[in-house]
């Protein structure tokens, strides 16, 4: 299962990013709480997906685990250390061929924030 988090593609099938014990602990977390957690993490570090890929991968796993149809998430924070209420989350379900294309671009080093925005989020188009 591929998951796009901002401009990084994670393969959630490689190895579960959480232990079995943690997975049981996380079962009680609602999607709203996971999204709030994501906003807090990206408010602290807008480049979390690059600076702490392990933590970002766990967040991607939690989002997908709570909402299996979602395979892409964007957490747009205006600056590091901002109020989590200023982080704008977006989510979508991308077709498998699109996810594979994004993964191929990432493997070639050609997937960055601008490329991901053009392919998925279209925030810069306005």
């Amino acid at each position: 299962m591929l998951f796009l988090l901002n401009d990084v593609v994670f393969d959630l099938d490689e190895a579960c990013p959480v232990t079995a014990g943690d997975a049981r602990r996380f079962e009680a977390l609602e999607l709203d709480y996971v999204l709030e957690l994501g906003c807090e993490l990206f408010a602290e570090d807008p480049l979390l997906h690059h600076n702490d890929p392990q933590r970002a991968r766990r967040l991607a796993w939690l989002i997908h685990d709570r909402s299996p149809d979602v395979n892409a998430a964007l957490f747009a924070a205006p600056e590091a250390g901002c109020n989590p209420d200023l982080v704008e989350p977006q989510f979508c379900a991308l077709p498998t061929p699109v996810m594979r294309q994004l993964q191929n671009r990432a493997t070639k080093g050609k997937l960055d924030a601008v490329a991901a925005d053009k392919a998925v989020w279209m925030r810069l188009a306005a």
Side-chain angles (χ1 to χ4, degrees), residues 22-63:
D22 284 343
R24 282 191 301 277
R25 274 190 9 226
F26 294 148
E27 282 178 2
L29 301 180
E30 297 289 328
L31 180 61
D32 287 342
Y33 181 83
V34 172
L35 301 183
E36 186 177 316
L37 174 65
C39 289
E40 289 174 5
L41 290 170
F42 277 90
E44 182 180 309
D45 181 4
L47 295 175
L48 175 80
H49 50 297
H50 291 288
N51 296 337
D52 193 347
Q54 301 268 28
R55 183 178 256 182
R57 191 165 180 259
R58 283 192 300 270
L59 176 62
W61 179 85
L62 281 169
I63 293 168

Short mmCIF file of all heavy atoms in Angstrom, two decimals, residues 22-63:
data_model
loop_
_atom_site.label_atom_id
_atom_site.label_comp_id
_atom_site.label_asym_id
_atom_site.label_seq_id
_atom_site.Cartn_x
_atom_site.Cartn_y
_atom_site.Cartn_z
N ASP A 22 1.87 -1.40 20.08
CA ASP A 22 1.47 -0.03 19.75
C ASP A 22 0.19 -0.03 18.93
O ASP A 22 -0.69 0.81 19.13
CB ASP A 22 2.57 0.71 19.00
CG ASP A 22 3.71 1.15 19.91
OD1 ASP A 22 3.50 1.19 21.14
OD2 ASP A 22 4.79 1.45 19.39
N ALA A 23 0.07 -0.96 17.99
CA ALA A 23 -1.14 -1.03 17.15
C ALA A 23 -2.37 -1.23 18.03
O ALA A 23 -3.41 -0.60 17.79
CB ALA A 23 -1.01 -2.15 16.13
N ARG A 24 -2.25 -2.08 19.05
CA ARG A 24 -3.38 -2.28 19.96
C ARG A 24 -3.68 -1.00 20.73
O ARG A 24 -4.84 -0.65 20.94
CB ARG A 24 -3.10 -3.43 20.92
CG ARG A 24 -3.30 -4.80 20.29
CD ARG A 24 -3.26 -5.92 21.32
NE ARG A 24 -2.01 -5.98 22.07
CZ ARG A 24 -0.89 -6.57 21.64
NH1 ARG A 24 -0.88 -7.17 20.45
NH2 ARG A 24 0.19 -6.60 22.37
N ARG A 25 -2.63 -0.29 21.15
CA ARG A 25 -2.83 0.98 21.88
C ARG A 25 -3.52 2.01 20.99
O ARG A 25 -4.34 2.78 21.44
CB ARG A 25 -1.49 1.55 22.33
CG ARG A 25 -1.01 1.04 23.63
CD ARG A 25 0.18 1.79 24.18
NE ARG A 25 0.54 3.00 23.48
CZ ARG A 25 1.78 3.32 23.13
NH1 ARG A 25 2.77 2.54 23.42
NH2 ARG A 25 2.01 4.45 22.51
N PHE A 26 -3.16 2.03 19.72
CA PHE A 26 -3.69 3.02 18.79
C PHE A 26 -5.11 2.72 18.35
O PHE A 26 -5.77 3.58 17.77
CB PHE A 26 -2.80 3.14 17.55
CG PHE A 26 -1.43 3.69 17.82
CD1 PHE A 26 -0.35 3.27 17.06
CD2 PHE A 26 -1.20 4.61 18.83
CE1 PHE A 26 0.92 3.76 17.29
CE2 PHE A 26 0.06 5.11 19.06
CZ PHE A 26 1.13 4.69 18.30
N GLU A 27 -5.60 1.50 18.58
CA GLU A 27 -6.95 1.13 18.14
C GLU A 27 -8.01 2.08 18.65
O GLU A 27 -9.00 2.33 17.97
CB GLU A 27 -7.28 -0.30 18.61
CG GLU A 27 -6.63 -1.37 17.79
CD GLU A 27 -6.95 -2.76 18.30
OE1 GLU A 27 -7.70 -2.90 19.29
OE2 GLU A 27 -6.42 -3.72 17.72
N ALA A 28 -7.82 2.62 19.84
CA ALA A 28 -8.83 3.49 20.45
C ALA A 28 -8.84 4.90 19.85
O ALA A 28 -9.78 5.65 20.06
CB ALA A 28 -8.60 3.58 21.96
N LEU A 29 -7.80 5.24 19.09
CA LEU A 29 -7.72 6.60 18.54
C LEU A 29 -8.69 6.77 17.38
O LEU A 29 -8.69 5.99 16.43
CB LEU A 29 -6.30 6.90 18.06
CG LEU A 29 -5.18 6.81 19.09
CD1 LEU A 29 -3.85 7.14 18.44
CD2 LEU A 29 -5.45 7.73 20.27
N GLU A 30 -9.48 7.81 17.45
CA GLU A 30 -10.41 8.15 16.38
C GLU A 30 -9.64 8.92 15.28
O GLU A 30 -8.60 9.52 15.55
CB GLU A 30 -11.54 9.03 16.91
CG GLU A 30 -12.39 8.36 17.96
CD GLU A 30 -13.27 7.28 17.38
OE1 GLU A 30 -13.69 7.41 16.22
OE2 GLU A 30 -13.54 6.31 18.10
N LEU A 31 -10.18 8.94 14.08
CA LEU A 31 -9.55 9.65 12.97
C LEU A 31 -9.35 11.12 13.31
O LEU A 31 -8.30 11.69 13.00
CB LEU A 31 -10.36 9.49 11.68
CG LEU A 31 -9.79 10.20 10.46
CD1 LEU A 31 -8.40 9.67 10.10
CD2 LEU A 31 -10.73 10.05 9.27
N ASP A 32 -10.33 11.75 13.94
CA ASP A 32 -10.21 13.17 14.28
C ASP A 32 -8.99 13.43 15.17
O ASP A 32 -8.28 14.42 15.00
CB ASP A 32 -11.47 13.68 14.98
CG ASP A 32 -12.63 13.83 14.03
OD1 ASP A 32 -12.41 13.88 12.80
OD2 ASP A 32 -13.78 13.90 14.51
N TYR A 33 -8.74 12.52 16.11
CA TYR A 33 -7.59 12.67 16.99
C TYR A 33 -6.29 12.52 16.19
O TYR A 33 -5.33 13.26 16.40
CB TYR A 33 -7.63 11.66 18.14
CG TYR A 33 -6.47 11.81 19.07
CD1 TYR A 33 -6.48 12.77 20.08
CD2 TYR A 33 -5.33 11.02 18.93
CE1 TYR A 33 -5.39 12.93 20.92
CE2 TYR A 33 -4.24 11.17 19.77
CZ TYR A 33 -4.29 12.13 20.76
OH TYR A 33 -3.20 12.28 21.59
N VAL A 34 -6.25 11.55 15.28
CA VAL A 34 -5.06 11.33 14.45
C VAL A 34 -4.78 12.56 13.60
O VAL A 34 -3.63 12.98 13.45
CB VAL A 34 -5.23 10.06 13.59
CG1 VAL A 34 -4.10 9.93 12.58
CG2 VAL A 34 -5.30 8.82 14.47
N LEU A 35 -5.83 13.17 13.05
CA LEU A 35 -5.66 14.38 12.24
C LEU A 35 -5.15 15.54 13.09
O LEU A 35 -4.29 16.31 12.66
CB LEU A 35 -6.96 14.74 11.54
CG LEU A 35 -7.53 13.66 10.62
CD1 LEU A 35 -8.79 14.15 9.93
CD2 LEU A 35 -6.50 13.21 9.62
N GLU A 36 -5.68 15.65 14.30
CA GLU A 36 -5.20 16.69 15.22
C GLU A 36 -3.73 16.46 15.54
O GLU A 36 -2.94 17.41 15.57
CB GLU A 36 -6.05 16.64 16.49
CG GLU A 36 -5.77 17.74 17.47
CD GLU A 36 -6.70 17.68 18.67
OE1 GLU A 36 -7.92 17.45 18.49
OE2 GLU A 36 -6.20 17.84 19.80
N LEU A 37 -3.36 15.22 15.76
CA LEU A 37 -1.97 14.87 16.02
C LEU A 37 -1.10 15.26 14.82
O LEU A 37 -0.02 15.83 14.99
CB LEU A 37 -1.85 13.37 16.30
CG LEU A 37 -0.44 12.82 16.46
CD1 LEU A 37 0.24 13.41 17.69
CD2 LEU A 37 -0.50 11.30 16.56
N GLY A 38 -1.57 14.95 13.62
CA GLY A 38 -0.83 15.32 12.41
C GLY A 38 -0.63 16.82 12.31
O GLY A 38 0.47 17.28 11.98
N CYS A 39 -1.66 17.58 12.60
CA CYS A 39 -1.53 19.04 12.57
C CYS A 39 -0.52 19.52 13.60
O CYS A 39 0.29 20.43 13.32
CB CYS A 39 -2.89 19.70 12.80
SG CYS A 39 -4.03 19.52 11.42
N GLU A 40 -0.52 18.92 14.77
CA GLU A 40 0.45 19.30 15.80
C GLU A 40 1.88 18.97 15.36
O GLU A 40 2.79 19.78 15.55
CB GLU A 40 0.13 18.60 17.12
CG GLU A 40 -1.12 19.12 17.79
CD GLU A 40 -1.51 18.32 19.03
OE1 GLU A 40 -0.75 17.40 19.44
OE2 GLU A 40 -2.58 18.62 19.58
N LEU A 41 2.06 17.79 14.78
CA LEU A 41 3.40 17.39 14.34
C LEU A 41 3.93 18.32 13.25
O LEU A 41 5.09 18.73 13.28
CB LEU A 41 3.37 15.94 13.83
CG LEU A 41 3.17 14.86 14.88
CD1 LEU A 41 2.91 13.51 14.21
CD2 LEU A 41 4.37 14.78 15.80
N PHE A 42 3.07 18.64 12.27
CA PHE A 42 3.52 19.50 11.17
C PHE A 42 3.62 20.96 11.59
O PHE A 42 4.37 21.72 11.00
CB PHE A 42 2.64 19.32 9.94
CG PHE A 42 3.05 18.12 9.13
CD1 PHE A 42 2.51 16.88 9.38
CD2 PHE A 42 4.01 18.23 8.13
CE1 PHE A 42 2.90 15.76 8.67
CE2 PHE A 42 4.42 17.13 7.41
CZ PHE A 42 3.86 15.88 7.67
N ALA A 43 2.87 21.38 12.62
CA ALA A 43 3.03 22.73 13.15
C ALA A 43 4.41 22.87 13.78
O ALA A 43 5.08 23.90 13.64
CB ALA A 43 1.94 23.04 14.17
N GLU A 44 4.84 21.82 14.44
CA GLU A 44 6.16 21.82 15.07
C GLU A 44 7.26 21.78 14.02
O GLU A 44 8.26 22.49 14.11
CB GLU A 44 6.25 20.60 15.99
CG GLU A 44 7.54 20.49 16.75
CD GLU A 44 7.56 19.25 17.63
OE1 GLU A 44 6.59 19.05 18.39
OE2 GLU A 44 8.53 18.48 17.53
N ASP A 45 7.08 20.92 13.00
CA ASP A 45 8.09 20.76 11.95
C ASP A 45 7.40 20.56 10.61
O ASP A 45 6.99 19.45 10.27
CB ASP A 45 8.98 19.55 12.27
CG ASP A 45 10.07 19.33 11.23
OD1 ASP A 45 10.21 20.15 10.29
OD2 ASP A 45 10.80 18.33 11.36
N PRO A 46 7.26 21.64 9.82
CA PRO A 46 6.58 21.52 8.52
C PRO A 46 7.24 20.55 7.55
O PRO A 46 6.62 20.12 6.58
CB PRO A 46 6.62 22.95 7.97
CG PRO A 46 6.76 23.81 9.17
CD PRO A 46 7.59 23.02 10.14
N LEU A 47 8.50 20.20 7.79
CA LEU A 47 9.20 19.24 6.94
C LEU A 47 9.37 17.90 7.63
O LEU A 47 10.32 17.16 7.38
CB LEU A 47 10.56 19.81 6.52
CG LEU A 47 10.50 21.05 5.64
CD1 LEU A 47 11.89 21.60 5.39
CD2 LEU A 47 9.79 20.76 4.33
N LEU A 48 8.42 17.56 8.48
CA LEU A 48 8.47 16.31 9.22
C LEU A 48 8.68 15.12 8.31
O LEU A 48 9.46 14.21 8.62
CB LEU A 48 7.16 16.12 10.02
CG LEU A 48 7.01 14.80 10.75
CD1 LEU A 48 7.80 14.83 12.04
CD2 LEU A 48 5.55 14.49 11.01
N HIS A 49 8.01 15.09 7.18
CA HIS A 49 8.09 13.97 6.25
C HIS A 49 9.51 13.75 5.73
O HIS A 49 9.86 12.65 5.32
CB HIS A 49 7.09 14.13 5.11
CG HIS A 49 7.13 15.46 4.45
ND1 HIS A 49 6.84 16.64 5.12
CD2 HIS A 49 7.44 15.82 3.19
CE1 HIS A 49 6.97 17.66 4.28
NE2 HIS A 49 7.33 17.18 3.11
N HIS A 50 10.34 14.79 5.74
CA HIS A 50 11.74 14.67 5.34
C HIS A 50 12.65 14.55 6.56
O HIS A 50 13.60 13.76 6.54
CB HIS A 50 12.18 15.89 4.52
CG HIS A 50 11.54 15.97 3.18
ND1 HIS A 50 11.86 15.12 2.14
CD2 HIS A 50 10.58 16.79 2.71
CE1 HIS A 50 11.12 15.43 1.08
NE2 HIS A 50 10.33 16.43 1.40
N ASN A 51 12.37 15.31 7.60
CA ASN A 51 13.24 15.36 8.78
C ASN A 51 13.09 14.16 9.71
O ASN A 51 14.03 13.81 10.41
CB ASN A 51 13.01 16.65 9.56
CG ASN A 51 13.39 17.87 8.75
OD1 ASN A 51 14.19 17.80 7.83
ND2 ASN A 51 12.81 19.00 9.09
N ASP A 52 11.92 13.59 9.76
CA ASP A 52 11.67 12.43 10.62
C ASP A 52 10.75 11.45 9.89
O ASP A 52 9.58 11.29 10.23
CB ASP A 52 11.04 12.88 11.95
CG ASP A 52 11.04 11.80 13.01
OD1 ASP A 52 11.30 10.61 12.68
OD2 ASP A 52 10.78 12.13 14.19
N PRO A 53 11.29 10.78 8.86
CA PRO A 53 10.44 9.91 8.05
C PRO A 53 9.81 8.75 8.83
O PRO A 53 8.71 8.31 8.47
CB PRO A 53 11.38 9.39 6.95
CG PRO A 53 12.75 9.73 7.39
CD PRO A 53 12.66 10.84 8.38
N GLN A 54 10.45 8.29 9.89
CA GLN A 54 9.85 7.21 10.70
C GLN A 54 8.55 7.68 11.32
O GLN A 54 7.53 6.99 11.26
CB GLN A 54 10.83 6.79 11.82
CG GLN A 54 12.14 6.29 11.30
CD GLN A 54 12.14 4.79 11.10
OE1 GLN A 54 11.10 4.20 10.85
NE2 GLN A 54 13.30 4.19 11.20
N ARG A 55 8.59 8.86 11.92
CA ARG A 55 7.39 9.41 12.56
C ARG A 55 6.33 9.72 11.51
O ARG A 55 5.14 9.46 11.71
CB ARG A 55 7.77 10.67 13.32
CG ARG A 55 6.63 11.28 14.09
CD ARG A 55 7.11 12.49 14.84
NE ARG A 55 7.22 12.12 16.24
CZ ARG A 55 7.59 12.94 17.18
NH1 ARG A 55 7.93 14.17 16.90
NH2 ARG A 55 7.63 12.53 18.43
N ALA A 56 6.74 10.26 10.37
CA ALA A 56 5.80 10.58 9.29
C ALA A 56 5.15 9.30 8.76
O ALA A 56 3.95 9.28 8.47
CB ALA A 56 6.53 11.33 8.18
N ARG A 57 5.93 8.25 8.65
CA ARG A 57 5.40 6.97 8.16
C ARG A 57 4.36 6.41 9.14
O ARG A 57 3.33 5.87 8.73
CB ARG A 57 6.54 5.98 7.96
CG ARG A 57 6.15 4.74 7.23
CD ARG A 57 7.42 4.02 6.76
NE ARG A 57 7.04 2.83 6.07
CZ ARG A 57 7.07 1.62 6.60
NH1 ARG A 57 7.48 1.44 7.83
NH2 ARG A 57 6.69 0.58 5.89
N ARG A 58 4.62 6.55 10.44
CA ARG A 58 3.65 6.09 11.43
C ARG A 58 2.35 6.90 11.32
O ARG A 58 1.26 6.35 11.42
CB ARG A 58 4.22 6.20 12.85
CG ARG A 58 5.20 5.10 13.18
CD ARG A 58 5.53 5.05 14.66
NE ARG A 58 6.12 6.27 15.17
CZ ARG A 58 7.41 6.54 15.22
NH1 ARG A 58 8.28 5.66 14.76
NH2 ARG A 58 7.85 7.67 15.72
N LEU A 59 2.49 8.21 11.08
CA LEU A 59 1.29 9.04 10.90
C LEU A 59 0.52 8.59 9.67
O LEU A 59 -0.71 8.45 9.71
CB LEU A 59 1.68 10.52 10.78
CG LEU A 59 0.53 11.48 10.48
CD1 LEU A 59 -0.50 11.47 11.60
CD2 LEU A 59 1.08 12.89 10.26
N ALA A 60 1.22 8.33 8.57
CA ALA A 60 0.57 7.85 7.35
C ALA A 60 -0.15 6.53 7.62
O ALA A 60 -1.30 6.33 7.19
CB ALA A 60 1.60 7.67 6.23
N TRP A 61 0.50 5.64 8.35
CA TRP A 61 -0.12 4.35 8.69
C TRP A 61 -1.38 4.56 9.52
O TRP A 61 -2.40 3.93 9.27
CB TRP A 61 0.89 3.47 9.45
CG TRP A 61 0.33 2.15 9.85
CD1 TRP A 61 0.26 1.02 9.09
CD2 TRP A 61 -0.28 1.83 11.10
NE1 TRP A 61 -0.34 0.01 9.80
CE2 TRP A 61 -0.68 0.48 11.04
CE3 TRP A 61 -0.52 2.54 12.28
CZ2 TRP A 61 -1.31 -0.16 12.10
CZ3 TRP A 61 -1.14 1.90 13.33
CH2 TRP A 61 -1.53 0.57 13.24
N LEU A 62 -1.31 5.46 10.51
CA LEU A 62 -2.49 5.73 11.35
C LEU A 62 -3.65 6.28 10.53
O LEU A 62 -4.79 5.87 10.71
CB LEU A 62 -2.13 6.71 12.47
CG LEU A 62 -1.40 6.14 13.67
CD1 LEU A 62 -0.87 7.26 14.56
CD2 LEU A 62 -2.31 5.22 14.46
N ILE A 63 -3.35 7.21 9.63
CA ILE A 63 -4.41 7.79 8.79
C ILE A 63 -5.05 6.70 7.94
O ILE A 63 -6.27 6.57 7.89
CB ILE A 63 -3.86 8.94 7.92
CG1 ILE A 63 -3.45 10.12 8.79
CG2 ILE A 63 -4.90 9.36 6.88
CD1 ILE A 63 -2.63 11.17 8.06
#
